[in-house]
């Protein structure tokens, strides 16, 4: 009797960082966005996804 496996697909990704996390809405000060750091983060995620795709 053959064994049949159900295909489960999905992606587990780390939470996106929020620049306003922990800052109350009443505070008018905003932390400046570091675009270089955000780009590094996104490139790292793309690299990990590519490596996982090649591993499968």
């Amino acid at each position: 009797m053959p064994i049949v496996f159900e295909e489960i697909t999905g992606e587990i990704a780390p939470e996106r960082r929020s620049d306003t996390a922990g800052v109350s809405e009443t505070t008018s000060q905003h932390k400046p966005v570091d675009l270089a750091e955000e780009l590094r983060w996104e490139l790292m995620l793309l690299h990990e996804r590519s490596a996982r795709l090649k591993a499968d």
Side-chain angles (χ1 to χ4, degrees):
M1 172 179 263
I3 299 173
V4 178
F5 295 95
E6 292 183 29
E7 182 178 354
I8 301 173
T9 59
E11 181 175 336
I12 300 174
E15 289 185 24
R16 289 196 172 266
R17 294 175 289 157
S18 174
D19 292 334
T20 58
V23 177
S24 68
E25 293 180 16
T26 59
T27 306
S28 62
Q29 297 175 348
H30 292 285
K31 182 178 173 183
V33 177
D34 184 6
L35 296 178
E37 180 62 29
E38 289 296 321
L39 180 59
R40 281 188 210 100
W41 177 255
E42 293 297 328
L43 287 173
M44 186 264 312
L45 288 177
L46 287 173
H47 183 347
E48 283 185 11
R49 290 177 184 145
S50 174
R52 289 180 191 157
L53 182 62
K54 290 177 184 176
D56 290 343

